[in-house]
Amino acid sequence: MKNIHAQKTNKTWALAAFVFGIICFTLSTLHAQFLPADKVRQDFKALLERPSVAPAPSIQSFTTDSVVIEKGYFYSEANEKVPVLIYKPVSSENKKLPVVICLHGTGGSKDQAVIKNLLYRFSKLNFMAVAIDGRYFGERSGISTPGQNPYNKAIVEAWRNKDNAQQEYPFFYDTAYDLWKLVDYLVTRPDVEPARIGMMGISKGGIETWMAASVDTRIKVAVPVIAAQSFKWSLENDRWQGRAKTIQGAHDEVARDLGEPNVNAGNVKKLWEKVIPGITDEFDCPSMIRLFAPRPLLLLSTENDQNCPLPGALLTFEAATNVYKSAGALDKLKTDVEPNQPHRFTPKHTEMTIEWFKKWL
């Protein structure tokens, strides 16, 4: 019996070593394929480059017994008015404040309860807390016919566009550009400490966080929540369905345009290549996340996330760990996977997010 047990144990360890070797080989191959970080930053900026405009902000302010609230807008492009919501501590007069930018997920807005709660809590900790509506959400959703989703509609129009000079990127990229312009506006304000600006986002907002903040070094601290993933891994491992469902209407239209009866990995890839080009290559999360080092970065995921499958998130964690280790900055990187949780911003991760900004910003 002892020999049989020993044989089973040896086989188990051999299998574990084999699997570990495969994982290491996969990760080393992935890292070898990454373009230099500076080139990734340059290429992403070039892709989203457009005529620069002055922010021309219009802001109204009112004070409650516990917080100063500002509402208004600024311009990110000549025809793009970005609604903004700001919470500040009441005692902030004549002070320069650190800033936390908080971004909503798909279907949300700057005015939803989870975002307003974050804004309020950060303001009570003497931060300026800022939120915007992503493109085609909240005040930017426009007038739509019943049953029509403005976000999906914009993505379909971007898919069908034939004029490269007029190409839009409503799926993540254009809002990432808006965030760069938001920072342009914030650093002009006399009540902002320009060297202390952070960013966090939930789901879609988390993806926009790692896209915008990785490239823009003015963002000093970042927390992407349920947003770390590999788009490439999800396509190659038949785990694209959760992400596709976030814009199901757009994927349905693309399948019809291609004469295919169902949404499948092939037509998902074609849509992604058109409206988020490079997302399975240099602009995928494991590649982009390297650009954030050595700034403080907290990556929060959940075990059963259907939109950001855990194996793809772990590829991102590994890429981040490697570059932070090389930079001698592992103390500024933290990752956490909450077990047995689906795609949601958990109470535990809410507290971890707030503590991270308290520590590093």
Side-chain angles (χ1 to χ4, degrees):
M1 289 293 295
K2 190 176 293 185
N3 289 336
I4 293 174
H5 177 72
Q7 289 173 4
K8 288 183 177 179
T9 301
N10 290 338
K11 287 181 179 179
T12 300
W13 279 107
L15 179 60
F18 175 76
V19 171
F20 180 74
I22 292 294
I23 293 173
C24 290
F25 175 77
T26 301
L27 291 172
S28 64
T29 301
L30 178 67
H31 299 323
Q33 293 173 349
F34 286 152
L35 292 173
D38 286 344
K39 177 169 175 52
V40 174
R41 178 178 285 110
Q42 179 182 353
D43 288 351
F44 197 62
K45 286 183 175 180
L47 175 68
L48 300 188
E49 186 177 8
R50 54 203 72 183
S52 181
V53 300
S58 176
I59 304 290
Q60 294 183 331
S61 177
F62 61 94
T63 303
T64 71
D65 59 351
S66 59
V67 66
V68 177
I69 299 176
E70 297 184 4
K71 292 183 178 181
Y73 61 84
F74 67 93
Y75 283 90
S76 63
E77 299 184 62
N79 297 313
E80 281 296 333
K81 185 186 291 186
V82 183
V84 62
L85 177 64
I86 299 172
Y87 279 40
K88 301 192 301 182
V90 173
S91 59
S92 62
E93 188 175 356
N94 300 321
K95 293 182 181 178
K96 286 184 175 292
L97 299 170
V99 178
V100 180
I101 299 167
C102 303
L103 305 174
H104 67 81
T106 304
S109 76
K110 70 184 186 313
D111 296 300
Q112 71 183 125
V114 64
I115 297 299
K116 283 189 170 181
N117 178 61
L118 287 167
L119 299 183
Y120 180 79
R121 291 192 63 182
F122 280 123
S123 72
K124 299 305 289 181
L125 294 169
N126 291 315
F127 292 100
M128 175 188 291
V130 181
I132 67 169
D133 286 327
R135 296 207 188 193
Y136 304 101
F137 289 96
E139 294 180 53
R140 305 175 82 181
S141 60
I143 300 173
S144 60
T145 57
Q148 186 179 67
N149 182 307
Y151 188 47
N152 280 267
K153 181 175 182 290
I155 292 169
V156 171
E157 289 176 353
W159 155 257
R160 291 173 177 163
N161 175 59
K162 305 297 182 184
D163 183 357
N164 290 337
Q166 301 297 321
Q167 183 64 48
E168 291 189 33
Y169 302 107
F171 195 25
F172 307 128
Y173 285 3
D174 284 342
T175 297
Y177 178 84
D178 291 339
L179 293 169
W180 296 340
K181 303 305 290 185
L182 170 62
V183 177
D184 286 350
Y185 160 59
L186 290 173
V187 298
T188 69
R189 290 181 54 124
D191 54 355
V192 166
E193 176 52 65
R196 298 176 67 193
I197 299 176
M199 185 181 294
M200 64 80 60
I202 306 164
S203 189
K204 179 182 90 78
I207 292 172
E208 291 156 354
T209 293
W210 59 254
M211 288 178 174
S214 291
V215 171
D216 192 338
T217 57
R218 295 174 299 177
I219 306 301
K220 302 303 182 183
V221 182
V223 184
V225 181
I226 49 174
Q229 67 179 106
S230 169
F231 287 78
K232 177 181 174 66
W233 183 92
S234 68
L235 276 178
E236 292 181 344
N237 293 274
D238 196 32
R239 296 286 297 278
W240 50 267
Q241 294 85 351
R243 178 56 54 199
K245 284 181 180 178
T246 66
I247 53 166
Q248 186 67 49
H251 280 293
D252 290 340
E253 288 292 318
V254 170
R256 281 192 283 269
D257 285 352
L258 295 172
E260 298 178 359
N262 300 302
V263 177
N264 57 56
N267 53 52
V268 166
K269 186 173 187 290
K270 289 179 180 178
L271 174 61
W272 289 0
E273 287 174 343
K274 180 67 180 291
V275 300
I276 40 174
I279 198 63
T280 60
D281 188 13
E282 62 177 317
F283 306 143
D284 201 357
C285 191
S287 172
M288 292 276 280
I289 207 68
R290 300 171 302 144
L291 280 59
F292 204 79
R295 294 167 284 164
L297 174 66
L298 174 63
L299 296 169
L300 300 175
S301 296
T302 55
E303 182 182 16
N304 300 326
D305 191 331
Q306 67 276 24
N307 293 359
C308 302
L310 183 57
L314 294 178
L315 290 176
T316 297
F317 293 0
E318 180 71 16
T321 299
N322 285 347
V323 71
Y324 274 79
K325 183 176 182 180
S326 296
L330 279 175
D331 61 315
K332 295 180 181 177
L333 173 69
K334 184 176 180 63
T335 63
D336 188 78
V337 177
E338 187 153 3
N340 304 314
Q341 291 291 329
H343 184 77
R344 65 184 289 256
F345 186 27
T346 67
K348 173 190 172 184
H349 283 170
T350 299
E351 300 309 315
M352 289 182 68
T353 296
I354 291 169
E355 290 301 316
W356 192 254
F357 285 108
K358 285 173 60 179
K359 179 178 181 178
W360 291 108
L361 195 63

